[in-house]
């Protein structure tokens, strides 16, 4: 891609020899143990390389598990220094499989499971109104909105009020005041409208009210430490800010009506999103719907635990019925009033579908979450796979979309549907 094209598409410079920017965790890949051929591994990796060659993702991490074994664990590109507007003399920091990346909205899947674990522990009933636990939330017509409605994006408060200063995102008391004062667009739960940021703050308040502890500590106690995660925290500790991969607004500048949808969902244009998400105040904050930080392997590990029915390395993280409730479809396929696309949700997960869905072809038993459109994290019980594709570009529309779709198709094609009697229990 020549310099003029890169400038027009806000793309990074890609070397001819991709091996010079590739990091392989050879010890972490064991395809033979899962009966996966070298040809399949090469095809999967080639599809990731094709995404990288579009130039919209300066850095990419990939982790794929099949039958519990990691069959692909690699990184390509740079964590920082090779963005489309970085100076020529910027230090290029290689992307590795251990580089923490912000998951953005893929964080919602983890926060949702924490709420289901609270229910398992008898601390909440997800069908209770939020106002039962947080009475101050129940004003201005929100008294009957349930925790379950918030989880399934039917809570009627899909966005923070317009003209809200962006630094409110890291002021939890002020964001809570605004959400309590907000008037819902509806309260009957009949319509889906994606809660990009708001729902996470509501769930955080409920969790902290019933546990008497912070959501960070609850995550650490019940998920992060039991599963042996190195990163996997809301935000990142100040001493590790320089380890965190940078985010880049890449691809063509969104125009109406796409720009309208972006502003509606995220509360700002894509350049503002880039600036905010690289701000240390955002990176150190606790934003349950959007700033969990970790690696592709860690979020793949999380979804593998869900495939295992709540088990990780023989340790019970949560009950199987908790997993089943977290992935159970709620409502029918509907046009999401925020994103303006058809979606199927559970109480916390984005679901696949037949004959084709978000997670590819014949993905009825797949569940997961997208992060800022490009980060794809999911599990498919009918194929016994756990997949995490993390990247550092935040293009909305552009020439990368065919390569991204081809990646999802390749995964579905290379891991065919298993006979029902061989699928993980949660697919039954």
């Amino acid at each position: 891609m020549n310099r003029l094209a890169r400038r027009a598409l806000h793309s990074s410079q890609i070397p001819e020899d991709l091996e010079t920017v590739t990091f392989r965790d050879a010890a972490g890949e064991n395809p033979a143990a899962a009966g996966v051929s070298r040809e399949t591994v090469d095809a999967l990796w080639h599809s990731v390389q094709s995404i990288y060659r579009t130039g919209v993702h300066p850095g990419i991490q990939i982790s794929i598990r099949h039958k519990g074994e990691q069959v692909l664990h690699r990184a390509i590109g740079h964590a920082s220094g090779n963005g489309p507007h970085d100076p020529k003399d910027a230090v290029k920091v290689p992307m590795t499989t251990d580089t923490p990346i912000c998951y953005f909205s893929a964080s919602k899947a983890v926060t949702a499971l924490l709420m289901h674990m609270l229910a398992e522990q008898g601390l909440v009933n997800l069908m209770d109104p939020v106002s039962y636990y947080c009475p101050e939330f129940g004003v201005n017509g929100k008294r009957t909105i349930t925790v379950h409605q918030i989880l399934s994006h039917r809570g009627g408060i899909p966005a923070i009020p317009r003209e809200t200063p962006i630094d409110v995102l890291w002021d939890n008391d002020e964001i809570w005041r605004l959400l309590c004062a907000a008037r819902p667009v509806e309260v009957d739960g009949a319509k889906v409208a994606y809660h990009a940021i708001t729902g996470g703050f509501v769930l955080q308040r409920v969790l902290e009210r019933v546990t008497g502890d912070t959501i960070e500590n609850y995550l650490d106690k019940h998920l992060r430490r039991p599963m042996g995660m190195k990163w996997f925290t809301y935000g990142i500790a100040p001493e590790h800010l320089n380890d965190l991969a940078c985010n880049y607004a890449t691809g063509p500048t969104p125009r109406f009506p796409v720009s309208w949808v972006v502003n509606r969902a995220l509360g700002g244009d894509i350049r503002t999103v880039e600036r905010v998400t690289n701000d240390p105040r955002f990176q150190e904050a606790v934003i349950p719907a959007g700033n969990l930080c970790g690696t592709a392997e860690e979020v793949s590990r999380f979804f593998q635990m869900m495939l295992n029915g709540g088990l990780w390395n023989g340790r019970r993280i949560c009950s199987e019925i908790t997993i089943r409730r977290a992935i159970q479809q709620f409502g029918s396929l509907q046009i999401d009033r925020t994103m303006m696309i058809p979606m199927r949700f559970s109480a916390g997960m984005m679901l696949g579908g037949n004959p084709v869905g978000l997670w590819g072809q014949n993905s009825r038993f797949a569940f997961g979450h997208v992060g800022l459109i490009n980060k794809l994290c999911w599990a498919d019980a009918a194929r016994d796979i756990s997949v995490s594709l993390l990247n550092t570009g935040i293009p909305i529309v552009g020439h990368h979309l065919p390569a991204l779709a081809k990646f999802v198709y390749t995964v579905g094609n290379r891991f065919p549907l298993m006979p029902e009697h061989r699928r993980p229990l949660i697919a039954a």
Side-chain angles (χ1 to χ4, degrees):
M1 188 181 296
N2 63 46
R3 185 167 58 183
L4 289 178
R6 288 204 312 271
R7 184 177 298 175
L9 296 173
H10 303 286
S11 301
S12 299
Q13 187 169 3
I14 306 301
E16 288 187 16
D17 183 2
L18 297 189
E19 286 299 316
T20 63
V21 291
T22 295
F23 184 95
R24 300 169 187 264
D25 176 21
E29 295 183 357
N30 194 8
V36 175
S37 69
R38 178 53 55 184
E39 179 189 8
T40 289
V41 172
D42 290 344
L44 294 167
W45 178 237
H46 179 73
S47 70
V48 175
Q49 289 177 315
S50 296
I51 298 171
Y52 180 70
R53 281 196 175 95
T54 66
V56 301
H57 292 301
I60 298 176
Q61 283 180 6
I62 180 71
S63 174
I64 300 179
R65 285 179 161 90
H66 180 51
K67 300 179 181 178
E69 296 286 347
Q70 195 165 219
V71 300
L72 188 63
H73 189 211
R74 300 178 190 178
I76 189 169
H78 297 88
S80 61
N82 193 33
H85 303 297
D86 283 335
K88 289 184 178 180
D89 59 353
V91 176
K92 292 180 173 62
V93 179
M95 176 70 79
T96 76
T97 54
D98 192 43
T99 303
I101 299 174
C102 182
Y103 297 155
F104 293 115
S105 282
S107 309
K108 291 180 175 65
V110 178
T111 300
L113 187 63
L114 295 185
M115 300 305 296
H116 286 277
M117 292 168 72
L118 282 182
E120 177 183 330
Q121 295 161 7
L123 295 176
V124 299
N125 184 328
L126 300 183
M127 304 310 294
D128 285 341
V130 172
S131 60
Y132 177 77
Y133 304 100
C134 305
E136 66 274 23
F137 181 78
V139 301
N140 292 331
K142 302 190 299 300
R143 183 177 58 85
T144 61
I145 295 172
T146 67
V147 178
H148 196 283
Q149 284 174 251
I150 297 292
L151 282 166
S152 55
H153 301 278
R154 296 169 180 268
I157 51 168
I160 57 177
R162 292 183 180 275
E163 311 305 324
T164 299
I166 202 69
D167 55 7
V168 165
L169 285 177
W170 41 84
D171 184 344
N172 279 10
D173 289 337
E174 178 61 12
I175 196 77
W176 180 240
R177 186 191 69 78
L178 290 172
L179 291 174
C180 288
R183 293 185 179 276
V185 294
E186 62 181 12
V187 296
D188 63 2
K191 297 181 179 65
V192 173
Y194 185 65
H195 291 35
I197 292 292
T198 54
F201 289 116
V202 175
L203 300 174
Q204 175 186 6
R205 283 285 165 158
V206 172
L207 183 150
E208 294 184 348
R209 194 66 58 90
V210 301
T211 64
D213 203 354
T214 65
I215 193 170
E216 311 99 281
N217 287 343
Y218 187 86
L219 170 70
D220 190 63
K221 178 180 179 182
H222 295 283
L223 271 180
R224 179 177 173 270
R225 282 192 285 121
M227 294 189 65
M229 309 286 201
K230 176 181 178 180
W231 303 107
F232 216 70
T233 58
Y234 294 113
I236 200 159
E239 63 268 26
H240 291 300
L241 280 175
N242 290 335
D243 297 319
L244 188 64
C246 290
N247 305 301
Y248 294 97
T250 55
T253 301
R255 305 297 182 188
F256 184 85
V258 174
S259 59
W260 176 80
V261 174
V262 172
N263 274 274
R264 178 182 172 92
L266 303 177
D269 62 34
I270 202 64
R271 304 296 166 192
T272 300
V273 172
E274 177 190 55
R275 176 176 56 81
V276 169
T277 58
N278 288 319
D279 189 315
R281 293 173 295 178
F282 173 90
Q283 294 170 337
E284 294 178 23
V286 175
I287 303 176
N291 83 335
L292 197 73
C293 297
T295 64
E297 187 281 325
E298 287 178 332
V299 75
S300 169
R301 191 187 315 184
F302 169 80
F303 280 110
Q304 183 63 51
M305 177 272 294
M306 294 190 71
L307 274 186
N308 296 345
L311 288 171
W312 178 252
N313 283 347
R315 182 169 185 171
R316 174 63 62 185
I317 304 300
C318 63
S319 71
E320 182 190 323
I321 192 61
T322 292
I323 301 296
R324 287 179 179 266
R325 288 168 177 161
I327 66 175
Q328 181 180 17
Q329 179 175 338
F330 185 70
S332 60
L333 180 73
Q334 290 188 21
I335 296 295
D336 184 284
R337 301 301 180 94
T338 301
M339 298 184 288
M340 306 307 294
I341 57 175
M343 292 293 299
R344 292 174 65 233
F345 285 106
S346 70
M349 306 286 163
M350 293 177 167
L351 306 178
N354 287 347
V356 68
L358 179 63
W359 307 118
Q361 63 275 26
N362 298 314
S363 56
R364 173 67 181 82
F365 292 109
F367 56 92
H369 219 287
V370 170
L372 259 182
I373 301 178
N374 296 273
K375 295 172 177 62
L376 307 177
C377 307
W378 83 95
D380 189 336
R383 291 178 167 87
D384 202 355
I385 57 172
S386 171
V387 184
S388 175
L389 177 78
L390 300 186
N391 37 55
T392 60
I394 45 178
I396 303 302
V397 294
H399 60 290
H400 68 292
L401 291 177
L404 205 61
K406 183 65 179 297
F407 166 76
V408 176
Y409 172 82
T410 301
V411 172
N413 187 50
R414 288 289 172 169
F415 297 104
L417 297 172
M418 303 173 69
E420 289 192 19
H421 69 278
R422 292 179 56 198
R423 297 176 186 176
L425 190 58
I426 62 168

